Amino acid sequence: MKAVVYEGPRQVSTKDVPDAKIERPTDVLVRVTTTNICGSDLHMYEGRTSFEVGRTFGHENMGEVIEVGSGVEKVRVGDRVVLPFNISCGFCKNCERGLTNYCLTTQPDPSAAGAAYGFADMGPYGGGQAELLRVPFGDHNALRLGEDAEERENDYVMLSDIFPTGYHATEMAGVMPGDSVVIAGAGPVGLMAALSATIKGAAKVMVVDRHPDRLALAEQIGAIAIDDSKVDPVQAVLDETMGLGADRGCECVGYQAHDPQGNEDTAATLNMLINAVRFTGRIGTVGVFVPQDPGAKDDLAKQGKAAIDFGTHWFKGQTMGNGQAPVKRYNRQLRDLIAAGKATPSWIVSHEISLDQAADAYKNFDARSKGWTKVLIKPGMSSEKKAN
């Protein structure tokens, strides 16, 4: 099968690799129809993680079931399914509590928790930027889709990660109807947090970024765009909230945050939110942070530490939730919102490409090239078809 393979920092290629196949009775084999490039893929693409050369990327996946193991009861050949990026068992202590993001069964390292497709330090599983994908515990992990699966494919694929992840940020932040919400980052996850806050009835949603094309997408769903290269974002939020600060904040950037001058600052978005969110407000952090980052320029950041304004955070009595999203907690209800026409997350999609066009797409997405807001890879698309 063809797959997008990591070749080293800022190098990927599309090549033939051994076919994914059923390995255990509970497995499902999926022919991938859409798989996305995610912002968190870029940490690995840039060589900032321990991702192995020769391994396949891709944790935002959906497709058609073409084979099921002998122990699979619910999922059938021919089903269209979307797959949470978390690979979970459904029966360990954490899964039973709904914390499928920290499954204890699928992570082979006994000192760790949580697994994912094609992701550093989250198990040995192959990624889905390929023609085929093995899905462990298929009955549990595969979310079946309705008759509109092909028609709304670009919407449903967002259920694999970024839509539930953005929603999780608003859950940890405690967004309620009438709230004011400030979101750090207008990348795909930040835009999904803005959409989620809007769905939840937030009265005012503010999105902080500095890329005009991304901020324009935020404005399309009624959010207030704050360009931090032009204004002080904290002051802008205070001005929008009668000097009180936002009720809720969502961090959707992660450890490779930069200031407007291009200097990397791991704590930049966290400190912006601490200062922009009101006394007793809540913050949900879903941007990726890591236990260590040898590629960082700052000695503190190399140790996975950030110089956050904890005194201000404590003084203001704020609460901060963090961590990867338990996708299965949300994907069914978000699926039904899409099916009912109440949510259309595909509004952020800028490019649909073939597997053979992945190297160029990674280069542009990593560079934040103008107009490259969300890239969908279609393995069945002819490489001769020009990306849109």
Side-chain angles (χ1 to χ4, degrees):
M1 67 178 186
K2 284 187 175 182
V4 178
V5 174
Y6 178 62
E7 303 281 16
R10 291 188 163 88
Q11 292 184 346
V12 297
S13 64
T14 303
K15 59 173 56 176
D16 290 330
V17 302
D19 285 354
K21 61 183 180 181
I22 298 287
E23 297 180 16
R24 301 181 65 180
T26 50
D27 287 349
V28 163
L29 188 64
V30 170
R31 176 180 63 83
V32 179
T33 54
T34 301
T35 175
N36 306 339
I37 299 178
C38 178
S40 54
D41 287 329
L42 299 181
H43 304 308
M44 298 176 286
Y45 174 73
E46 293 170 4
R48 294 287 287 269
T49 69
S50 59
F51 199 76
E52 307 92 336
V53 171
R55 196 171 168 200
T56 302
F57 278 138
H59 60 271
E60 297 186 8
N61 309 307
M62 70 175 294
E64 180 183 2
V65 176
I66 61 171
E67 186 179 349
V68 299
S70 60
V72 174
E73 297 288 340
K74 178 179 68 174
V75 176
R76 296 284 183 264
V77 171
D79 284 347
R80 292 274 178 159
V81 296
V82 63
L83 308 164
F85 79 89
N86 323 111
I87 305 174
S88 56
C89 68
F91 53 76
C92 72
K93 183 176 183 178
N94 283 346
C95 285
E96 286 182 346
R97 294 177 175 180
L99 302 173
T100 54
N101 44 338
Y102 294 107
C103 179
L104 300 170
T105 303
T106 52
Q107 168 56 261
D109 183 350
S111 66
Y117 302 99
F119 208 94
D121 301 319
M122 296 194 72
Y125 307 96
Q129 290 176 12
E131 293 176 315
L132 300 172
L133 180 67
R134 171 192 168 231
V135 179
F137 301 106
D139 276 336
H140 170 69
N141 284 303
L143 179 67
R144 293 179 296 172
L145 302 171
E147 294 180 357
D148 61 350
E150 293 183 65
E151 175 190 352
R152 298 179 184 267
E153 181 147 342
N154 289 1
D155 291 310
Y156 285 129
V157 73
M158 304 304 176
L159 296 172
S160 59
D161 180 358
I162 62 169
F163 194 6
T165 293
Y167 194 88
H168 186 52
T170 66
E171 282 285 288
M172 291 192 293
V175 174
M176 296 186 294
D179 277 343
S180 57
V181 183
V182 55
I183 296 166
V189 172
L191 292 169
M192 291 299 113
L195 175 63
S196 299
T198 302
I199 289 170
K200 287 185 167 191
K204 182 174 288 189
V205 179
M206 298 158 280
V207 180
V208 179
D209 204 297
R210 64 193 66 114
H211 295 280
D213 50 350
R214 296 182 173 194
L215 290 171
L217 288 172
E219 290 180 321
Q220 287 181 19
I221 57 168
I224 297 168
I226 297 175
D227 186 338
D228 69 351
S229 70
K230 297 179 179 178
V231 300
D232 176 351
V234 173
Q235 189 58 51
V237 173
L238 294 175
D239 291 345
E240 290 284 350
T241 56
M242 299 182 293
L244 298 173
D247 297 306
R248 319 288 175 180
C250 298
E251 201 291 329
C252 302
V253 177
Y255 74 107
Q256 287 185 257
H258 290 71
D259 65 22
Q261 289 71 47
N263 302 307
E264 190 170 302
D265 179 359
T266 298
T269 50
L270 293 170
N271 287 333
M272 185 276 287
L273 290 170
I274 288 169
N275 287 283
V277 171
R278 67 172 174 85
F279 280 75
T280 72
R282 290 173 60 178
I283 299 168
T285 302
V286 294
V288 173
F289 288 84
V290 292
Q292 60 275 323
D293 178 20
K297 296 179 180 179
D298 177 78
D299 288 339
L300 202 61
K302 287 180 180 179
Q303 303 172 62
K305 299 177 181 178
I308 68 168
D309 296 338
F310 188 76
T312 302
H313 178 60
W314 183 92
F315 182 69
K316 295 175 80 170
Q318 296 170 337
T319 302
M320 185 182 294
N322 58 78
Q324 291 186 344
V327 171
K328 281 187 63 65
R329 183 181 297 177
Y330 312 118
N331 65 352
R332 189 177 299 271
Q333 61 196 25
L334 297 179
R335 175 200 65 185
D336 293 346
L337 284 176
I338 292 171
K342 303 293 186 181
T344 310
S346 64
W347 106 94
I348 70 169
V349 174
S350 59
H351 293 76
E352 298 178 41
I353 65 167
S354 70
L355 281 170
D356 290 333
Q357 295 166 315
D360 181 64
Y362 264 97
K363 185 182 300 182
N364 280 286
F365 193 51
D366 182 52
R368 276 66 169 177
S369 297
K370 182 178 179 181
W372 287 76
T373 54
K374 186 62 176 177
V375 182
L376 277 54
I377 300 175
K378 306 279 188 176
M381 179 185 288
S382 167
S383 60
E384 284 140 26
K385 182 176 179 180
K386 187 177 178 181
N388 63 4

